[in-house]
Amino acid sequence: MTVISNIDEEGINRNLRIRYKQDKIYTYTGTILVAVNPYRHLSIYEPEYVDKYIGYKIGEQDPHVFALTETAYQHMSRSSQSQSFVISGESGAGKTETTKFILQYLCSGTGVESTWTEQQILEANTILEAFGNAKTVRNDNSSRFGKYMQVCFDYKFHISGCTVQDYLLEQSRVAFQSPGERNYHAFYQLLAAAASDDRDLAEQFMLESPSHYTYLNQSECTEIEGVDDARKFDELRLAMSVVNISDEMCDGIFSVLSAILWLGNLCLEEHENDTERTRLTEGDHSVLQTIAFLLGLQMEALEQVLLTRQIIIRGNATDIPLKLNEARENRHAMAKALYSRVFAWIVSSINCCMTPGANKDFLIGVLDIFGFENFSRNSFEQLCINYANEKLQQHFNYYVFALEQQTYSAEGIEFSHINFIDNTACLELIEKSPSCILKIIAEECRFPKGTDVTYIMKQHKEFENHANYVKGDDRRRWALEFRILHYAGEITYTVDGFLDKNKDAQQANFFFLMEKSKIDFVRELPAFQDLMSVMISHVGTLTKKQSSLARSAAKGKLTVADMFKLQLSSLVDSLRQTNPWYVRCIKPNMQKTSENYDDDFVMTQLRYTGMMDIVRIRKQGFPVHIPYQEFLQKYRILYTGGALPEDERKAVAALMQQFETPSTEWQTGHSKVFLRHAAFEPLEDARYQLINESAITVQRVWKGFLHARVFKKRKSACIMVQRTFRAKRQRMEYLRIHRAIVIIQAAVRGMFAREVANALRLERACEEKARKEQEKMERLAKEREEQEEDELEASLRAMEAEVADMVRYVGSLDTGAIPWEMSEVISPKLPKYSGQAQEQLAAMAHITDELNVKFSQDTTAHVASLDEMFNFLGAESEDTTAGIEQISGLSSIEEVDSQNFITETNEDIGAAFTEAMAKISLAADFLNEFAENEIEGVPELSQPPHTERARHDAAITTAPPVSKRDSALGESVTSEDGSEIAPVEEIAKVSTAKKYAAANFEDVEALLQFAVEGMGSSVGVTKDADKPVGPEMKGQAKVVNKPIVKAKPKVAEKPRPPVAPKPGGQTAAPPRPGLVKASPPARGVLKQTVSTRTPPSQVAKTPPETERPHLRAKHNFISRQLSLEGGQLARGSTMSMLINRPLSTRSSPGDTARRQSLQSLWKKSAREAHRKERVSKLLQEWKFGPTEVAYFNKIMSSAAAEEKAKEEEKYYDLLEFAEENYSEHPSADLRRASIMSVRKHSVSGPPMTKLQMITYSNTPVIATSHVKLYDPALVSLAVSTFKELWKYMNNELKIIDDLFIQNLVKHGLQNEDFRDELYCQLMRQTTNTPSQDALVRGWELLMFCAACFSPSKALNKYLMSYLKKHSNQEVVGKHAKTCLRHLRVARIAGRTMAPSNTEITALKAFGPMVCRIKFLDDMTKAVDVQSYDCAETVLKSLAEKIGLQSTDGWALYERVGIQERFMKSREYLVDIISKWESGQQKSHGEFLVKKRLFRHPKDMPQDPVEYSLLYAQAVHSAVTVSKLHTQICNGQ
């Protein structure tokens, strides 16, 4: 209308009428939208119309509310400034519908796709309309409250949430409606749904028809033409579910609505004997009982609240009976309080559901507030409504007229001044302090005896001279009414009930009573008793002016007018922070009919809304104001004429001239540029287009860079893949050729090996034949040798006797008579002997060295020949040797040395012995020379007998233990690489033979050393032959801790011939019986082996010292070595003894170094032997010995059990924990003294001992927590918990026991740091408890805590010791054992729910819960469930019951109604049961077993049980899908 020239009021009216007739109900007045209500449905709000206006601005499409919304959204996204819509008009002009259309477009046209939040915004408006709208005489859907919805957007300008602020709900409509009006829609929708089909709904909420209720039938209007209340109720239930209002809360809301309706049916009557009191009528008892049931209250308590009022004087509460009128008003007040709090709860729930959180960068506010009202009888509500309209009109005038013209004047813009209707005087009459209507009402409400009459008289007196205030023409009605000249006209207000409505008096005891309700929703309503705090929570932070207003109002009780004034002030402040967009709604007629345009009625609305003035200022003014710097910063990029002038005005002019904008469309002020839309829109379009083109260029370059980088990366990856593939292919080709070559080589080598093997086999056969012939010849020669040996033995004995005589003779000579050449032979103290004797003794030592060299060379040459023969099979030979060593488990220096002598024959040893004896005879001849000089005998020399039996005993050795599997293998064992290994027994024999051969060579070495060193250095050391062996030799004998083989007794010797007498009468001394010749090793000893270990009990013990021959130290040591060989071969004792024995006095430095190197080598080899022995044993267990492994596991488990038993037997005293971790508590006397003392005087004294803190407390008060807690909230919780615990144990707690138990356990579950405090309190109160009943109740609490959570690691051992200590007691033994059983179970996941009533009952009975599990084949199994049983444990138990072989892929499901949920393996069943009991419907579900994962879906299960279950599951799924398909088809 701003483009129409010479337009006036008639022209505006005519333009609107013509467009109205053409169904064009929207008209632009600049950026202000005028909407005329068509009173019928138009098809201009369909989804295609939403798409039509997306991206377009005002003027580019037909006028529409969608176009205005799109323009506001674009302005917000471009300028990053919040927007707001102010919708005004009379009641019935279409404000609510316009609000719905704006929200519809914001939710549909501003996002890429519809989100759940946008759907919640639309459905929230449905809920608010049902509970806040009602039918009036002027509007079938009149908003009886105001709402300001702020749609929030994130930084991407996508909807992130919404907040709702409500204003002044009309509470009086709940109890009273004028004729032709209705109560709120929610009542009728609920009753219509109950009357249509849902009889269960009627029975649940005890509903009747609308005509049955006083609150609905007094206006005689219960229906609206064309409105289906039952369908609206279904839409309401759907909307509630969308905004996350649970079914339980929905039932609570409808239950309260039904209770409100029944409150109106209470009649009440005066008491018979007392007119100051009121009582219930006969019919009221059943009605009150129904109300009490619907509210979940006690009937007696509800009757007390209904018929009395409570006053508190000096802390004492007094109940005062109500008179009949007061009781009836109290009934209405209760109904209005219930409904207003229900509405406040709904608004709060919607805000909680749609809260944007931190994503609240920008917003678009939509204000839908009650329109201007003028009824036949206007009361306090109409005064507040019209006051709000005055406030919004002032805001509109300020922004559209006053602020605009002030800006023009300040900037020096040429314009013609416009006069507009200013309502400031009327608004000051209503709200401006210190004297205004609202102020007088508030003061009169606080006055004890204030009435409506006193109020209006004060008001008449105060404002009788005010221009906008009129007493009235009729003096008789001055005490009843007054008039105010509003901007929309003069309105008369009736003051009847003004003060009561402003007070909104509510009894506090009614809200206290609701806190005890059994219904959860009713218990939440008292939180909204103080609507002021609720309003502040919705508004947010108050400004300084609002805070002062709230404080001044709070000096007394806050009235409805005060709160409404504060809300309006906050609303105006919010609107001023946004860019406003105005929608003026026009009502075409009073009859609410379509196609009826009343010119006079519309003209009245146009005049008081100032539409003519709006057209003029929009036509002549410049609505767009931009500072110079901002203008140049935004549009500098559009200038193409080079550099802009430095002067800002000239720069702006250059830009405008470039776009050829007429100078009439823009002006420049002192600091701003003023533009009309005709000049502003081209600039915005050009800038937007340039920015888009630049953004596309940047995106193109950036995307090209990204794709180039990706291409290079993929190219390098392809090259790497190709390189790797080619290398892999070449490697495979090489391996193939290498494998073929290896196969060819193996075949050729095998051919050569077979030829060599055949040759060896033939050679072995020839050798065997020759050996048999040789044995035959040897047998014949042996007989001859035995005869010769007997003769030789006789001659040797004679020679030994002579040698002994010479030695004795030499020993009897004096030192001076011995030549110096024999001094070293006779005694170490004598001078050196002659060179001839030294040379002969050195020659004997040289003989020994030659023998050693000869043996080593011959053996090495013999072995080398075999090695060279099989040199090409070296790898196989090494593997075989390694396998033998691994199985035997023995490795020592003896094994290495014995290889050099394994092939030495008995003939070589005999020859060596013969040669040695020949050398010894030379020594005898040398000694004979001294016999001539009267040398007397020496001590006898004896050697332990080396007979055939003794050597057989010495050959007994040990072999590694052979497992059962080794025995079962028979002749051979196959190794891991496939090669054949000889049996273990044969390998042990070979190894033992090697060791014994080495030992026998050592025997020969010892004999030779005896001959050379012993005779040369140790002769004549002692003369006492009977003296026992010295302690050093005893110690030497103790070194070897092995069984010693007892030597065979000596064979009786033949009688020796007497010795011929010497000259001079002397007779030679007879030979000593102990002096015998050292026998050479027998021939068959090398081949004697034993494969089993000889038990220690079967080995002969060492003979006592008295039975053994008396030897000198050196000889005794050598003989002991030779006698100990039998039992020590397995461990290499012979070599160790030879290496570790002491060196002789003639040992050279080279011998010492060699001996030390051999000692270090022996120790290293011994350690390696032990290590290999352990490894071999482990390998035998892993490979061959399951019995041994089981035995080992048994030993380890028994050891672990013993260790655990020792740990459990250890007792930890709780006093120790208290000393370290408890807080300091004042003593009981100190606490009482501190309570009774005056604050000025401090009380000091010793604190409570730790022993007292772990013993039962007779008082329920503690100063602080037992365990040190650093959170003040937890400390306070500990103090209150101890008090409630004391009351519970002493049966003084008023709440239900199960509820207290659940709350107590819930504290421990929610606060992990609080668990130790709970356990400490329970252990304290169950120690030395005087009452047995209290003791049992305390242990039950301890049992419930143990079933739900564990203590900390620090407290655990003390708690376990405490429980074990009481586990054998008669009264609480079962409780302690139950606690121990629960605490010993390892919990991977913690519990989340407090125990249910079922679990509490089961724990009190010390038994499990019986849970029924259902299968899809209609089979049900009962399972015992403990508190620590999870889904995985129960599933395995079920599988054992039904015979299911594998639970792989199977799972437990929780089914409630038709909803199923998969249960995780670590989820506790008791938590699910607790969730069922605490749910909204308080109805239990069921557990179900189903197959969840199918790893091999094409494989048929072999288990028949699993097959039948899968078949039942498939049938069940098919039936379910079929039912769903049928329902979908029926729905279509």
Side-chain angles (χ1 to χ4, degrees), residues 600-821:
D600 296 336
F601 185 67
V602 173
M603 181 62 71
T604 303
Q605 297 177 63
L606 293 176
R607 285 175 179 171
Y608 71 70
T609 56
M611 187 58 62
M612 185 61 193
D613 298 332
I614 294 172
V615 172
R616 289 176 56 197
I617 197 169
R618 289 300 180 186
K619 186 176 180 179
Q620 300 175 8
F622 300 90
V624 180
H625 314 157
I626 304 176
Y628 285 131
Q629 292 182 355
E630 181 181 349
F631 182 87
L632 294 176
Q633 184 179 2
K634 287 181 63 176
Y635 303 112
R636 182 185 298 273
I637 58 176
L638 301 177
Y639 188 67
T640 59
L644 284 171
E646 295 182 359
D647 185 67
E648 294 179 344
R649 291 193 177 188
K650 292 181 180 180
V652 171
L655 272 172
M656 301 306 295
Q657 289 173 5
Q658 177 179 331
F659 283 88
E660 298 179 356
T661 305
S663 59
T664 57
E665 300 298 323
W666 61 279
Q667 288 189 37
T668 56
H670 299 307
S671 61
K672 296 181 181 179
V673 181
F674 292 82
L675 306 169
R676 293 191 177 123
H677 285 283
F680 175 71
E681 295 299 334
L683 291 174
E684 280 292 307
D685 294 341
R687 179 176 177 273
Y688 181 74
Q689 182 178 358
L690 181 60
I691 290 176
N692 281 344
E693 292 175 355
S694 302
I696 292 173
T697 302
V698 173
Q699 290 175 355
R700 181 174 65 251
V701 175
W702 174 246
K703 290 179 180 178
F705 169 74
L706 291 179
H707 283 81
R709 186 170 62 181
V710 172
F711 169 75
K712 292 179 181 178
K713 186 176 180 180
R714 290 180 179 176
K715 182 179 178 181
S716 62
C718 290
I719 294 174
M720 184 178 295
V721 170
Q722 291 174 355
R723 183 170 64 249
T724 305
F725 173 75
R726 290 169 183 167
K728 183 68 175 178
R729 184 173 59 185
Q730 294 294 333
R731 177 67 178 170
M732 292 175 64
E733 182 67 19
Y734 165 75
L735 292 177
R736 186 182 65 80
I737 297 173
H738 182 270
R739 192 179 300 110
I741 294 174
V742 170
I743 292 173
I744 295 173
Q745 290 177 349
V748 174
R749 290 174 180 173
M751 179 182 66
F752 291 148
R754 285 190 292 273
E755 292 178 359
V756 174
N758 292 333
L760 291 175
R761 219 176 278 117
L762 181 60
E763 182 182 357
R764 193 177 296 115
C766 295
E767 290 178 355
E768 182 68 20
K769 185 176 180 180
R771 185 184 61 78
K772 290 181 180 180
E773 293 178 358
Q774 181 68 20
E775 287 179 355
K776 183 177 180 180
M777 295 176 63
E778 288 179 354
R779 191 169 53 253
L780 296 176
K782 184 177 181 181
E783 297 176 357
R784 293 193 300 269
E785 289 179 0
E786 288 178 356
Q787 184 177 0
E788 294 176 357
E789 285 180 359
D790 292 339
E791 296 176 357
L792 179 61
E793 183 178 359
S795 62
L796 287 175
R797 287 175 181 170
M799 183 182 66
E800 289 173 356
E802 294 177 2
V803 172
D805 292 339
M806 288 187 290
V807 171
R808 285 194 298 272
Y809 176 74
V810 173
S812 62
L813 295 180
D814 296 333
T815 304
I818 299 177
W820 67 270
E821 293 86 356

Side-chain angles (χ1 to χ4, degrees), residues 1022 1024-1037 1104-1106 1108-1117 1119-1120:
T1022 178
D1024 190 0
D1026 298 331
K1027 188 176 181 179
V1029 180
E1032 67 279 359
M1033 301 313 298
K1034 291 182 180 180
Q1036 183 69 21
E1105 294 292 334
T1106 56
R1108 302 180 64 182
H1110 294 287
L1111 306 175
R1112 285 171 296 177
K1114 183 70 176 180
H1115 302 158
N1116 194 9
F1117 172 72
S1119 65
R1120 191 178 297 110

Side-chain angles (χ1 to χ4, degrees), residues 479-588:
L480 301 176
E481 61 187 21
F482 66 94
R483 297 177 186 177
I484 297 178
L485 298 177
H486 292 282
Y487 75 96
E490 182 180 309
I491 297 179
T492 302
Y493 297 97
T494 304
V495 298
D496 185 19
F498 254 51
L499 298 186
D500 292 337
K501 293 177 181 179
N502 189 38
K503 291 178 182 179
D504 191 23
Q506 303 295 335
Q507 293 194 41
N509 55 349
F510 180 47
F511 290 98
F512 295 154
L513 180 61
M514 284 193 288
E515 293 177 354
K516 302 178 181 179
S517 173
K518 299 178 182 178
I519 301 175
D520 295 340
F521 174 77
V522 178
R523 287 200 302 270
E524 293 185 8
L525 292 182
F528 299 89
Q529 178 182 358
D530 186 7
L531 293 177
M532 178 66 183
S533 60
V534 176
M535 184 272 297
I536 293 176
S537 65
H538 292 170
V539 171
T541 305
L542 297 179
T543 63
K544 183 176 181 180
K545 180 180 178 182
Q546 295 168 1
S547 301
S548 62
L549 179 62
R551 286 194 301 268
S552 61
K555 292 179 181 178
K557 182 174 172 31
L558 196 67
T559 62
V560 174
D562 293 334
M563 187 170 62
F564 187 60
K565 182 179 179 181
L566 186 61
Q567 286 181 312
L568 284 180
S569 177
S570 174
L571 172 63
V572 171
D573 290 339
S574 299
L575 293 176
R576 287 177 179 174
Q577 295 175 4
T578 61
N579 182 39
W581 301 84
Y582 296 97
V583 179
R584 288 293 190 180
C585 296
I586 303 297
K587 189 175 182 180

